[in-house]
Amino acid sequence: MSSVTACPLDCYDACEILFSDGRLKGLKSGHTQGFLCPHMNHYEKHATLKTPRYKGKEISLEEALLKLKEMIFSHEKSEILHYRGSGNFALMQEVTDHFFASYGAVLTEGTLCDGAGEAGIIEGRGSNKNMSLHEVAKSEVVIFWGRNPHTTSSHLLPFIKDKKIIVIDPIKTRIAKSADLHLQLKPNTDLLLAMLLSRFLHIENGCDEEFLDAHASDYEEYYELTQNIRIKAVLEQIGVSLGQLGEILAMVKDKRVAIVCGVGIQKYSNGVDVMRAIDAFAAMLGLFGKEGCGVSYLGSSREGVVSPFNKKAKKVSKVDTEFADFKTVFIQGANPLSQMPNSLRVRESISKARNVVYFGLYENETSAAADLVIPAKSFLYKNDVRTSYSHNVMSFMPKVAHSDIGISEYDLAAYLCKEFDIELESEDFYIKHFKNFAVQKIDGSWYVENREEIPYKDGFDTKNKEFVFLDELDYKVDEDKGLHLITCKSPTSLNSQFNREESVHLHSSLGYKEGEMLTISSADGSVELRVKHNDDLREDCILIYSGTRGVNNLTTSKHALYAKSAIFQENRVEIKR
Ligand SMILES: Nc1nc2c(c(=O)[nH]1)N[C@H]1C(S)=C(S)[C@@H](COP(=O)(O)OP(=O)(O)OC[C@H]3O[C@@H](n4cnc5c(=O)[nH]c(N)nc54)[C@H](O)[C@@H]3O)O[C@H]1N2
Ligand SMILES: Nc1nc2c(c(=O)[nH]1)N[C@H]1C(S)=C(S)[C@@H](COP(=O)(O)OP(=O)(O)OC[C@H]3O[C@@H](n4cnc5c(=O)[nH]c(N)nc54)[C@H](O)[C@@H]3O)O[C@H]1N2
Ligand code: SF4
Ligand SMILES: [Mo]
């Protein structure tokens, strides 16, 4: 027997999967193109939680649910926190929000992921409507700007064969090695680079004036702002030559260009402005509202789909959550003790909450610290639906196999709703609700109906329909106060799920031996890791992948300016033997 489902992971591609005789294969038709990635190819090999436990002792699922009920019942509603992460990206995950919000508990807001960039996009365009994978496929030139597609979005690669490729990344990534042009710029200098590109485009009369006059008429003021940048000093500082700027402009002028951005550009306090400046360069080129042109970032996977769940609740930030303020903390689909910034703060704060509940699939730092552990069912054993943040397909995820282990989010929410007398519709009702937002196209796939294939055709979604340029250059010259920390995604793990990395990567010329144990420290904490040489890095950077134990001892729990978003690369680091 075979059935079709979809990968639940937090990933651009949202692959569709053929489940046949217990094996997972990428669907041949549509965007999945017949292949999956290492996470899904080995999905069933990773040991999952089997039995619930309380204070280290194994208990039955019934006992676990009773304990959970007690932990909720015996405290003030305002002392109960629901902290949900993105371990599973499908839409039914939110059903627990419905219970906790309706009950009067506290939820979280903000993001550890793409929030600064998203805020920048909304400032400029009035909304975050994404350029989809299928539109990128129609471009002639692709600029990968802080995105590592071989690792994080491999299903985009077959679509960009034969295109001109430009990569802007402090690491010589795989795509950088085969690109027509790679700018290995210094981290967190993208704002200046984007503004300089706009400036030179204007000087060379390369702007799309017709587009600008119609949709972004403040562009002359923006050009003036870019003139505040001292060219020679800044180019030296960011590690890019005038010739390279010229090469980029020559490659993109009068072409269908897709600027494919990743989260790498916005892991800084000024991440909002960085994204806005990249968007402004796209506007100067007139890339919006045209086929095969635009900026592809992490759109909202929820775009065009209205949630059926009640989520109205008091909310606290996900970035610097004060767990100590709560008596019962219910953590679902997240490993905050590894993935939130400033792990030492998180550990201290979580240790002060009376009851910590972990509802997840795998053992990790958070399951180890939890009082009550409840195994979830994996996506194969429950019903769900998913959408993507990089294309417009809606995929259905019916239960394809049976397992007695764990409980689904729906069943857990249904139990709590029943015990606390809160209304909840049937699971089928919600699945149908989601499906109502999709239409089937000739290729057989279901697409979210209300997403525009080419957004911003009739102008932007700002008040006057015009693009809003940055009007202030808020950037201080960054003195050298230590090495830059790059903490991006690993090919072997999905954040802290699957095979987690264990090393600090650095350039061999720094003089540390392969395998040597080093202490890396920042203003917020330190971590000990073994050295792996990596000459794809700049000499002023070290790389510790997301999911590496202890990496977030080094990161700050401050928010980005003007966004409720974490900033994982703000702190500089030092190395000691
Ligand atoms: N294999 C794998 N795939 C994943 C994930 C995973 O953990 N593993 N995680 C998923 C999630 S949650 C997300 S959000 C996406 C993110 O996927 P991506 O957007 O690709 O994000 P990152 O890997 O964090 O960073 C991308 C690139 O940004 C570069 N970068 C770092 N700092 C800078 C900078 O200052 N300027 C510029 N221009 N570039 C910079 C890094 O070197 C890296 O090559 O991936 C998803 N897919
Ligand atoms: N240093 C550093 N830190 C980072 C990042 C970085 O690049 N560098 N990236 C940030 C980003 S972009 C993100 S999105 C976050 C991600 O951070 P998290 O959202 O915490 O994601 P994961 O580490 O993948 O942990 C998810 C957990 O979800 C559980 N899970 C999986 N499937 C299910 C399910 O079906 N049901 C339930 N109930 N649980 C499930 C698994 O047990 C897993 O441990 O990390 C952020 N932290
Ligand atoms: S590429 Fe992404 S969506 Fe596809 S199987 Fe891998 S993790 Fe899942
Ligand atoms: Mo993310």
Side-chain angles (χ1 to χ4, degrees):
M1 245 250 320
S2 59
S3 339
V4 175
T5 179
C7 171
L9 297 173
D10 181 354
C11 169
Y12 295 96
D13 296 0
C15 294
E16 294 185 313
I17 296 176
L18 187 70
F19 180 79
S20 173
D21 300 327
R23 293 188 56 203
L24 308 176
K25 286 189 205 136
L27 207 66
K28 286 227 166 67
S29 62
H31 62 279
T32 310
Q33 305 157 86
F35 68 98
L36 299 172
C37 73
H39 311 315
M40 269 303 126
N41 288 333
H42 305 291
Y43 188 72
E44 294 275 71
K45 292 185 194 141
H46 298 282
T48 52
L49 287 164
K50 298 280 182 274
T51 320
R53 56 175 197 263
Y54 179 65
K55 305 261 185 218
K57 192 172 151 275
E58 292 194 350
I59 56 174
S60 69
L61 187 59
E62 289 67 34
E63 289 168 316
L65 292 176
L66 264 177
K67 274 273 170 241
L68 175 62
K69 180 182 151 191
E70 239 174 72
M71 287 172 172
I72 294 171
F73 182 71
S74 44
H75 301 291
E76 294 290 324
K77 294 175 175 179
S78 60
E79 290 175 330
I80 293 165
L81 174 71
H82 178 34
Y83 187 102
R84 193 163 57 74
S86 55
N88 177 322
F89 223 67
L91 299 169
M92 285 298 279
Q93 287 287 307
E94 293 175 8
V95 64
T96 49
D97 292 16
H98 180 85
F99 164 74
F100 284 102
S102 307
Y103 180 70
V106 178
L107 264 53
T108 60
E109 62 184 356
T111 155
L112 304 182
C113 182
D114 60 335
E118 179 181 49
I121 286 175
I122 293 172
E123 288 279 324
R125 306 185 214 159
S127 64
N128 178 19
K129 294 179 184 164
N130 207 24
M131 178 183 194
S132 83
L133 176 98
H134 297 100
E135 281 305 308
V136 176
K138 296 178 193 158
S139 65
E140 294 166 297
V141 181
V142 182
I143 307 181
F144 284 101
W145 203 325
R147 168 89 75 96
N148 182 9
H150 283 90
T151 294
T152 65
S153 26
S154 56
H155 291 79
L156 179 57
L157 296 168
F159 287 110
I160 57 149
K161 276 189 201 146
D162 311 323
K163 299 190 193 302
K164 287 264 178 244
I165 305 289
I166 300 168
V167 175
I168 303 172
D169 197 306
I171 301 182
K172 224 178 275 158
T173 56
R174 209 166 138 193
I175 190 89
K177 287 177 188 166
S178 63
D180 296 279
L181 180 65
H182 174 211
L183 298 196
Q184 193 168 12
L185 84 177
K186 188 169 172 150
N188 196 15
T189 57
D190 303 85
L191 172 67
L192 298 171
L193 175 66
M195 291 183 79
L196 278 179
L197 283 169
S198 291
R199 176 163 165 190
F200 282 103
L201 187 72
H202 190 282
I203 292 170
E204 294 185 6
N205 295 319
C207 295
D208 183 339
E209 285 179 14
E210 199 184 317
F211 172 86
L212 290 169
D213 288 334
H215 303 297
S217 57
D218 286 339
Y219 69 101
E220 291 292 352
E221 282 91 333
Y222 183 62
Y223 171 62
E224 270 170 40
L225 183 70
T226 67
Q227 287 179 312
N228 292 327
I229 299 173
R230 286 169 43 231
I231 299 172
K232 197 162 165 276
V234 164
L235 284 176
E236 246 164 56
Q237 195 199 338
I238 68 183
V240 171
S241 70
L242 205 53
Q244 286 173 315
L245 291 191
E247 273 184 74
I248 294 192
L249 295 180
M251 282 169 75
V252 298
K253 253 192 254 166
D254 304 319
K255 290 282 188 309
R256 289 196 304 279
V257 181
I259 303 182
V260 179
C261 295
V263 291
I265 54 162
Q266 50 97 68
K267 296 182 181 187
Y268 307 102
S269 60
N270 69 340
V272 177
D273 286 355
V274 176
M275 189 68 233
R276 260 182 100 180
I278 293 175
D279 247 15
F281 178 53
M284 297 293 252
L285 283 165
L287 298 184
F288 293 101
K290 294 176 189 159
E291 186 168 75
C293 297
V295 178
S296 182
Y297 180 57
L298 292 84
S300 164
S301 62
R302 306 303 194 254
E303 192 198 334
V305 181
V306 177
S307 175
F309 302 122
N310 175 20
K311 296 198 222 173
K312 274 200 207 100
K314 182 175 175 241
K315 291 182 179 142
V316 294
S317 170
K318 251 201 175 74
V319 177
D320 61 354
T321 322
E322 201 45 271
F323 296 99
D325 292 345
F326 298 91
K327 291 280 185 337
T328 295
V329 175
F330 181 85
I331 298 167
Q332 172 187 327
N335 181 10
L337 277 170
S338 163
Q339 293 308 110
M340 276 178 80
N342 199 344
S343 302
L344 303 180
R345 187 206 70 82
V346 177
R347 187 165 287 281
E348 162 88 15
S349 182
I350 261 189
S351 72
K352 291 185 185 145
R354 185 170 306 169
N355 306 304
V356 176
V357 186
Y358 170 80
F359 178 36
L361 276 186
Y362 306 112
E363 295 287 7
N364 54 33
E365 293 89 333
T366 308
S367 71
D371 301 287
L372 177 63
V373 174
I374 305 178
K377 279 199 192 303
S378 95
F379 76 105
L380 297 168
Y381 311 113
K382 60 193 178 199
N383 293 306
D384 220 319
V385 179
R386 84 161 290 173
T387 44
S388 154
Y389 48 83
S390 105
H391 57 70
N392 300 334
V393 175
M394 181 183 279
S395 306
F396 305 105
M397 308 166 68
K399 177 177 161 179
V400 295
H402 176 80
S403 163
D404 289 326
I405 296 166
I407 182 167
S408 72
E409 287 67 28
Y410 179 83
D411 287 343
L412 183 129
Y415 169 82
L416 291 173
C417 285
K418 184 162 163 278
E419 295 299 313
F420 291 96
D421 212 11
I422 287 164
E423 256 184 65
L424 188 76
E425 302 289 347
S426 70
E427 189 177 34
D428 199 40
F429 172 92
Y430 293 119
I431 302 279
K432 283 197 179 121
H433 168 96
F434 291 125
K435 194 168 179 178
N436 278 336
F437 291 94
V439 281
Q440 198 170 22
K441 296 227 173 137
I442 313 170
D443 66 359
S445 296
W446 290 80
Y447 284 79
V448 179
E449 189 170 15
N450 286 327
R451 285 200 201 166
E452 295 161 58
E453 267 159 41
I454 304 176
Y456 309 112
K457 261 189 173 157
D458 308 313
F460 293 96
D461 292 331
T462 49
K463 269 196 203 118
N464 62 359
K465 303 251 236 170
E466 295 240 358
F467 186 84
V468 181
F469 287 99
L470 268 173
D471 54 8
E472 226 181 353
L473 178 57
D474 186 9
Y475 187 89
K476 281 194 272 343
V477 175
D478 193 6
E479 296 132 37
D480 281 331
K481 298 168 294 200
L483 293 159
H484 293 271
L485 170 66
I486 296 188
T487 174
C488 57
K489 309 303 182 187
S490 151
T492 65
S493 77
L494 199 121
N495 296 309
S496 71
Q497 302 189 66
F498 315 124
N499 298 323
R500 301 169 64 173
E501 305 261 356
E502 296 177 339
S503 312
V504 51
H505 298 244
L506 37 84
H507 200 281
S508 55
S509 70
L510 292 182
Y512 298 98
K513 285 202 265 328
E514 177 94 15
E516 184 177 359
M517 197 62 137
L518 295 180
T519 303
I520 322 293
S521 54
S522 77
D524 286 286
S526 68
V527 59
E528 286 188 20
L529 292 168
R530 275 191 204 288
V531 173
K532 246 193 195 169
H533 285 162
N534 184 342
D535 289 352
D536 295 333
L537 295 171
R538 291 169 53 101
E539 290 170 21
D540 56 1
C541 296
I542 66 161
L543 162 64
I544 310 177
Y545 283 112
S546 178
T548 307
R549 283 173 202 276
V551 57
N552 282 321
N553 292 358
L554 302 173
T555 56
T556 174
S557 49
K558 285 186 193 139
H559 291 86
L561 294 168
Y562 327 114
K564 288 208 170 84
S565 189
I567 43 173
F568 290 99
Q569 295 185 174
E570 184 73 7
N571 280 353
R572 294 292 193 93
V573 294
E574 278 176 17
I575 302 179
K576 279 206 198 91
R577 278 203 159 95

